[in-house]
Amino acid sequence: MNAEQLIEKKRDGGALTAEEIRALIEGYTAGRIPDYQMAAWCMAVYFRGMTPEETAALTRAMADSGPRADLSSIPGVKVDKHSTGGVGDTITLITAPIAAAAGVPVAKLSGRSLGFTGGTVDKLSAIPGCRTALSFEEFIRQVREHGIAMAGQSADLCPADALLYALRDATGTVESLPLIASSVMSKKIASGADAVVLDVKCGRGAFMKDRRAAEALMREMTALGRAAGLRVIAFVTDMNVPLGTAIGNSVEVDEAVDVLSGRGGRRLTALALTIAGAMICAGGKAGSLAEGRRMAEALVRDGRALAKFRECAAAQGGDVSWIGRRPLTPETHARLVRAPRSGYVEDVRPVELARLVMDMGGGRARKEDPIDLTVGLRLWKEPGDKVEAGEPLLTLYGREGLPMDRLADEALAAVSIGPEQNVFPLVYRMADSEAGETE
Ligand code: URA
Ligand code: CA
C-alpha cells in the first residue's frame, strides 16, 4: 500500500498492521514519504486514535529507526527517568545525582527545551563550561567512572521520533495519547536502560489536561515498557501549578542545588524524593518505594547527593566553584516584585509564567532558536502559602533592554492572592510494571 492509502485507512477509522506502520516510519525517516503526508497521517491518528497493537508497532518501528545505545559495559541495573514535560520541572537535575549517590548507574540522555517546557540539556548548559555534547564513548566512560552522566541525546538516537516530534509540534498533533506514548517509550527503549521511572504530567501546564487521559497515558507507557522487557515505575503528577519555584535555565539549576542542599521548595522537594526513591528501588538498591525514598532523604541530608551533582557537572567540564557560595544566576538585572496585598497564594498560572520567561528570551519557539540561559524568575511563595502585603513574592532575572516594569506587571497577573487557602495535590496515581497500580 502507498502512503496515501495508509492515511485514508486511518482517516476512516481502520487499524494499520505492524508492517504498514513500519513502512510509514521507515519511509518517512528515509525521506521517501514527505512531511505533508506524514502530517496528514498524524492528524488522522489524533482524531481516530490507535489500538494498543498499533501503538506497540509504532513504538518498535521508531526505536528501530536508528542504532540502540548499548549500555551493557556498565555494570548494574541502569535506570532512566522521563517526564512528559512541564513548567518548573527540575526533577532530572535532582533525582539523577541522588540515585547515582545510592549506587544506581544513571546514564541520562535528555532533550532541549521546546515550546514552554524546559529541557535538561539547556539547564546544564547554564553551568559555565559544562558540556552536554558527549561522544557515546565519553558518556559510557563517565558513567563507569562517576556513576552518572547527563548528556544531550545524539541525533542518531530515534531519528524517526526527532523528525516526527518536530512535525507534530508544527501541525497541532502533539497532544495525542498514542503519539506521545510511542515517542517517549521508543526513546527509552533505544537509550538502553534496564528500568525507567516515568513522570506523567497532568493539568493546565501539561500536554495531558485531565486525569483520565493522563492515567490512560501512564498505563499505555507502562505496558509498552513491559512488552520491551523494561521495569517501569510510573506516576501521574500535578501540573496545574508550577512544580518548582524557578522557571528558566540558570535559576532552575539554582533551585536544584537548593533541593539537593535540603532547602528547596516543598512541592519540588517532595516529588524529587519520591521519584529518586523510585529510581533507587527500580535500580535494585531498595526493597520498596518507601525504603528508596528514605534513602533519598538520607543522601540529601548527609550531602552525598549534592556532592554527586558537583562531581557530575565537574566531570563534564563545568565550573562548580559557585556551589554552596552564591547563586549561579546573575542579579545584575533582577527585579523584586512584592505582594500587593495580604492573603494566601490562591493560584499560580504555569503557562503564563513560562511564556513570560520565553518572551524574556529564555525559551525557544523553534528548534534552532538561540536562548538566553540567565533569564528567568523565582517565586518566593508557593501555591497555598500565606503572604503579607509588601513581602517578596517573586524575582524576575532579566537582561539589558527588557521592559522590566511591564514584565513585573505580567508576572503579578499570573499569581492570585486572596482569602482562600487552596489545596494543591501532587501525586495522583502510580503504576509499577511488577506490582500493579495504586491511588
Ligand atoms: N515528550 C516526548 O518525548 N514526546 C512527546 O510526544 C511528548 C512529550
Ligand atoms: Ca507547537
Side-chain angles (χ1 to χ4, degrees):
M1 265 198 216
N2 63 30
E4 188 191 349
Q5 288 169 306
L6 298 180
I7 297 165
E8 287 169 356
K9 188 172 178 187
K10 184 41 70 182
R11 180 199 65 194
D12 298 337
L16 273 59
T17 66
E19 293 69 37
E20 289 169 337
I21 290 171
R22 188 166 285 269
L24 264 181
I25 292 300
E26 285 179 358
Y28 184 54
T29 312
R32 289 190 303 272
I33 295 176
D35 277 348
Y36 56 84
Q37 284 189 315
M38 208 59 195
W41 181 76
C42 286
M43 190 57 86
V45 170
Y46 178 92
F47 282 112
R48 292 294 193 172
M50 285 182 126
T51 65
E53 292 73 25
E54 285 182 287
T55 310
L58 178 59
T59 306
R60 279 195 305 275
M62 292 209 295
D64 290 339
S65 66
R68 293 192 185 186
D70 181 1
L71 304 183
S72 59
S73 65
I74 302 167
V77 181
K78 276 77 70 184
V79 179
D80 197 351
K81 76 142 280 273
H82 192 90
S83 156
T84 56
V87 177
D89 185 350
T90 318
I91 291 277
T92 297
L93 290 184
I94 305 165
T95 57
I98 298 178
V104 176
V106 180
K108 183 76 185 96
L109 293 169
S110 295
R112 300 202 303 169
S113 53
L114 193 64
F116 62 78
T117 64
T120 301
V121 166
D122 292 312
K123 296 172 200 176
L124 279 173
S125 306
I127 301 174
C130 188
R131 296 188 310 124
T132 56
L134 306 182
S135 71
F136 192 65
E137 292 69 35
E138 280 180 291
F139 180 70
I140 295 286
R141 189 176 343 114
Q142 188 178 315
V143 180
R144 289 180 64 99
E145 284 173 13
H146 299 281
I148 180 171
M150 293 189 264
Q153 197 173 293
S154 70
D156 61 357
L157 189 91
C158 265
D161 177 62
L163 289 169
L164 210 52
Y165 194 92
L167 181 74
R168 287 165 55 211
D169 194 41
T171 56
T173 50
V174 169
E175 290 96 336
S176 152
L177 191 153
L179 295 182
I180 295 176
S182 55
S183 162
V184 170
M185 294 313 291
S186 61
K187 282 178 290 203
K188 297 300 103 177
I189 293 165
S191 60
D194 306 301
V196 55
V197 177
L198 297 172
D199 183 8
V200 181
K201 296 294 180 192
C202 165
R204 293 183 293 188
F207 294 129
M208 291 290 147
K209 312 292 179 209
D210 72 272
R211 275 187 63 179
R212 292 247 312 275
E215 287 173 9
L217 178 61
M218 175 188 77
R219 279 184 204 114
E220 188 97 33
M221 292 199 294
T222 305
L224 289 170
R226 194 196 293 118
L230 286 175
R231 164 87 182 267
V232 182
I233 300 179
F235 298 88
V236 174
T237 71
D238 182 79
M239 189 34 79
N240 280 307
V241 291
L243 178 59
T245 61
I247 303 173
N249 290 288
S250 131
V251 285
E252 291 192 36
V253 175
D254 281 324
E255 183 168 35
V257 169
D258 285 349
V259 174
L260 288 166
S261 310
R263 47 183 168 77
R266 272 195 315 276
R267 286 170 63 79
L268 182 62
T269 300
L271 188 60
L273 291 170
T274 297
I275 300 232
M279 291 168 75
I280 295 170
C281 180
K285 300 287 179 188
S288 67
L289 289 178
E291 189 195 346
R293 191 186 159 110
R294 280 195 299 277
M295 286 172 68
E297 281 167 2
L299 290 162
V300 168
R301 212 178 311 116
D302 68 15
R304 279 192 287 165
L306 181 63
K308 192 50 92 173
F309 176 86
R310 191 194 288 265
E311 181 185 340
C312 177
Q316 293 179 209
D319 170 10
V320 292
S321 61
W322 53 276
I323 295 176
R325 295 176 36 217
R326 59 172 173 82
L328 177 62
T329 309
E331 300 198 329
T332 21
H333 296 282
R335 166 70 62 96
L336 177 67
V337 179
R338 293 177 182 279
R341 69 189 78 84
S342 301
Y344 291 98
V345 177
E346 285 185 342
D347 196 14
V348 180
R349 286 173 279 280
V351 177
E352 283 80 345
L353 289 179
R355 290 210 187 283
L356 184 78
V357 173
M358 263 184 91
D359 289 345
M360 288 163 79
R364 53 170 71 83
R366 292 182 313 168
K367 273 195 314 217
E368 51 283 357
D369 290 348
I371 58 175
D372 185 336
L373 299 168
T374 64
V375 301
L377 67 85
R378 194 84 192 255
L379 296 159
W380 305 118
K381 296 287 174 186
E382 288 192 58
D385 280 356
K386 197 170 194 310
V387 56
E388 300 294 334
E391 259 193 292
L393 185 64
L394 59 95
T395 296
L396 290 174
Y397 299 88
R399 63 179 149 106
E400 190 69 56
L402 285 178
M404 296 306 284
D405 288 334
R406 180 172 65 75
L407 292 167
D409 288 344
E410 283 179 18
L412 209 45
V415 180
S416 306
I417 297 173
E420 306 289 338
Q421 188 175 24
N422 297 326
V423 177
F424 296 89
L426 190 54
V427 177
Y428 294 114
R429 209 173 183 86
M430 71 144 310
D432 183 337
S433 60
E434 291 187 356
E437 222 175 279
T438 47
E439 190 83 28

